[in-house]
Amino acid sequence: MTVTIVGSQLGDEGKGGVVDLYGDAADVVVRYQGGDNAGHTVVYDGDTYKLSLVPSGAVRGKVGVLGNGCVVNPETLFEEIDTLRERGLDPDIRVAERAHVILPYHRALDGIEESEKDDLAAGTTKRGIGPTYEDKAGRRGVRIGDLLDPDVLRERLEYVVPQKKALAEEVFDAETGEAFDIDFLFETYREYGTRLAEEDMTVDCGSFLQERIDAGDNVMLEGAQGTSLDIDHGVYPYVTSSNPTAGGATVGTGLGPTVVGDGEVIGIVKAYLSRVGTGPLPTELGGVEGQTPGYDPDAGAGDDEEELATYIRDEGGEYGTVTGRPRRVGWLDMPMLRHATRANGFTGLAINHIDVLAGLDEVKVGHSYEFDGEEIFTMPPTTEQWGRCEATFETFEGWDDVDWSDVADEGYDAIPENARTYLEYISDELEVPIYAVGVGPGREETVVVEDPYA
Ligand code: GDP
Ligand code: IMO
Ligand code: MG
């Protein structure tokens, strides 16, 4: 069977940790979209692994697959594999031949366009994600399978590179170097192709996975980013360029929707909000310069709110896994979660980071929005409309900081009562059962309520 892990908010909900937890019962862990814009953390035996491309299951010896819906930077891939090997692991990674390749000009153009866009910039990770998906849709991309065939690779590069060079130089007035040089690209990417072939890493993803499922294996589908960063269902244009939502798990792997729908779809929820990047955020606390629209630190939200934001940011370690940028933080946004529950069809929830909120006198939740004088309970379709929404808050009594490892050992009933009230409010509102509660970064710091593979 399959278990699909999906971020329900704006990324960094703790997906890596949940993949690690439930991945124990899985044989294969597959990324179905995105690329090295992700930063997934797995804490194993006191060691922390931050993975941007290698599927999180690789830390525990599972077969890791990058599905056809991913965009793959071979440089990052091999760097990550080599680093894991240096740390004593032996990752078994397969890459879909249909997956698209991020080339150096994609990264260059990501940076160039971000600085050009000004207010419309999403604050991307500058990993070339958007430009690579653009070329995929424009039918001028280079796929992993093309790296294995020198004639095809050269043909593709000879068509596309002059266009990219002209775009950079003539439209954006930017300087170009080897990132836009056909011979350099051909030689470098042929070498990656040779390594992929020598290490027998490439697969026909859908067939590979279906055969494993038919043989009785458990497959975990690891989403990156989150529902509100989805190109269709997120806060466009402040989104990523793929579909993190559960539908992406079928398109991005080649498994049929009935196969994915037959399994479980678990929504990963952070008990508050964090956001790296720009765009509105109705439940935001304080702000971060350069990311919060119109934020002026001197005329900010008031000292108390800024202090609270700093407290949550520091307690939760809310600094980007990939970029190190301070993340914007806010209270939980229920309309966002109702939207995610519908778009993904969650069968279970893993709610993380309740330990981070411990010690606060009160914890607030954006229960609904006031939008043009009306109360609404889910996200409106345009980001301009979302920007006009004002959150209507509900207040919950806070809970004390306790020994969370003990809580994880003892089980759900050991969670402080006020925290349980908070968790049950979320579950009741969304009408989705709680499968797990994260009370710390380690796998042992999780209260497991339900095993999706059981
Ligand atoms: P992902 O992108 O969804 O995999 O999440 P990230 O790894 O980018 O960010 C989540 C961060 O929170 C990581 O540092 C995790 O180790 C940590 N984390 C995950 N779950 C919990 C939790 O329940 N409590 C605390 N305190 N930290 C957690
Ligand atoms: P994980 O998998 C949080 C954000 C960027 C930017 C927007 C577009 O760790 O949850 P991109 O580089 O994808 O074109 O950037 O999406 N973003 C993420 N935010 N977590 C992530 O991944 C993200 N991946 C992209 O900050 O606003
Ligand atoms: Mg992350």
Side-chain angles (χ1 to χ4, degrees):
M1 73 173 284
T2 64
V3 171
T4 305
I5 299 296
V6 182
S8 65
Q9 294 148 320
L10 290 152
D12 304 327
E13 301 91 346
K15 297 176 291 293
V18 177
V19 170
D20 183 44
L21 172 76
Y22 287 139
D24 226 13
D27 303 283
V28 184
V29 178
V30 193
R31 283 270 313 267
Y32 56 84
Q33 43 70 236
D36 57 347
N37 49 347
H40 295 182
T41 314
V42 176
V43 182
Y44 177 37
D45 253 358
D47 285 329
T48 298
Y49 297 88
K50 290 185 181 290
L51 304 167
S52 61
L53 200 49
V54 168
S56 298
V59 173
R60 309 247 183 192
K62 311 295 171 184
V63 176
V65 180
L66 295 174
N68 54 276
C70 293
V71 287
V72 179
N73 184 331
E75 192 181 344
T76 315
L77 177 65
F78 288 124
E79 261 172 31
E80 257 182 31
I81 291 175
D82 291 343
T83 306
L84 291 174
R85 285 191 181 144
E86 280 159 25
R87 293 181 73 177
L89 302 176
D90 184 21
D92 179 358
I93 308 300
R94 315 298 172 92
V95 190
E97 288 194 26
R98 288 183 170 87
H100 278 251
V101 180
I102 300 181
L103 286 138
Y105 52 80
H106 292 125
R107 282 179 85 124
L109 285 165
D110 195 353
I112 293 169
E113 227 198 312
E114 275 286 286
S115 47
E116 196 73 15
K117 271 182 159 174
D118 206 15
D119 279 357
L120 289 177
T124 75
T125 58
K126 300 200 173 82
R127 298 300 195 265
I129 307 296
T132 307
Y133 279 114
E134 269 180 58
D135 282 354
K136 172 180 176 174
R139 295 165 298 173
R140 66 180 91 82
V142 175
R143 304 204 293 180
I144 289 290
D146 302 338
L147 303 184
L148 308 181
D149 186 330
D151 293 340
V152 175
L153 177 60
R154 187 164 269 283
E155 190 186 27
R156 298 270 192 273
L157 292 173
E158 279 179 358
Y159 174 71
V160 73
V161 175
Q163 289 185 14
K164 298 293 153 184
K165 197 168 156 69
L167 178 66
E169 289 175 351
E170 287 162 34
V171 177
F172 293 116
D173 206 17
E175 283 182 24
T176 56
E178 62 184 16
F180 295 80
D181 180 283
I182 295 175
D183 289 334
F184 167 79
L185 294 169
F186 176 76
E187 292 306 327
T188 312
Y189 284 75
R190 257 307 288 155
E191 269 175 44
Y192 288 132
T194 305
R195 183 164 172 191
L196 286 165
E198 275 171 7
E199 299 194 23
D200 203 15
M201 289 173 69
T202 62
V203 290
D204 180 351
C205 183
S207 308
F208 177 80
L209 296 177
Q210 190 63 56
E211 276 169 26
R212 303 291 300 239
I213 290 173
D214 291 344
D217 278 358
N218 284 328
V219 171
M220 174 155 274
L221 303 166
E222 175 179 6
Q225 290 82 49
T227 304
S228 283
L229 292 173
D230 185 286
I231 184 107
D232 286 278
H233 303 290
V235 290
Y236 193 91
Y238 309 108
V239 291
T240 192
S241 300
S242 68
N243 290 115
T245 42
T250 158
V251 179
T253 58
L255 289 172
T258 43
V259 174
V260 174
D262 239 8
E264 300 255 13
V265 179
I266 303 181
I268 315 305
V269 178
K270 184 176 267 187
Y272 51 92
L273 270 195
S274 70
R275 165 63 153 147
V276 208
T278 53
L281 200 59
T283 61
E284 182 161 20
L285 286 163
V288 173
E289 217 173 347
Q291 295 188 57
T292 306
Y295 180 69
D296 173 0
D298 300 324
D303 288 348
D304 288 354
E305 206 178 298
E306 293 289 354
E307 230 171 75
L308 188 55
T310 306
Y311 175 83
I312 294 176
R313 186 173 300 120
D314 289 348
E315 288 289 308
E318 296 298 351
Y319 296 87
T321 308
V322 173
T323 57
R325 290 183 284 182
R327 295 175 182 154
R328 298 160 68 190
V329 295
W331 295 121
L332 196 70
D333 185 319
M334 290 306 292
M336 184 186 282
L337 290 182
R338 291 187 193 101
H339 173 73
T341 301
R342 193 212 64 254
N344 293 293
F346 293 144
T347 58
L349 300 174
I351 305 178
N352 286 324
H353 297 89
I354 63 158
D355 56 304
V356 173
L357 299 179
L360 297 176
D361 291 338
E362 52 182 36
V363 173
K364 291 191 186 182
V365 173
H367 176 75
S368 58
Y369 298 142
E370 195 189 309
F371 175 59
D372 292 349
E374 264 183 63
E375 186 179 27
I376 59 169
F377 293 89
T378 187
M379 287 170 92
T382 79
T383 302
E384 291 66 32
Q385 291 164 354
W386 195 47
R388 293 209 304 277
C389 288
E390 289 211 15
T392 304
F393 289 99
E394 282 201 8
T395 303
F396 291 78
E397 280 180 44
W399 48 91
D400 289 335
D401 206 8
V402 294
D403 186 326
W404 294 103
S405 300
D406 286 353
V407 170
D409 287 344
E410 286 168 43
Y412 187 81
D413 290 338
I415 296 173
E417 192 183 346
N418 289 349
R420 273 185 283 133
T421 304
Y422 184 74
L423 292 167
E424 282 152 28
Y425 159 83
I426 299 169
S427 173
D428 289 349
E429 283 292 322
L430 302 180
E431 298 183 66
V432 183
I434 293 173
Y435 278 15
V437 181
V439 296
R443 173 152 79 159
E444 301 70 29
E445 291 159 308
T446 312
V447 177
V448 183
V449 182
E450 199 71 51
D451 173 2
Y453 284 112

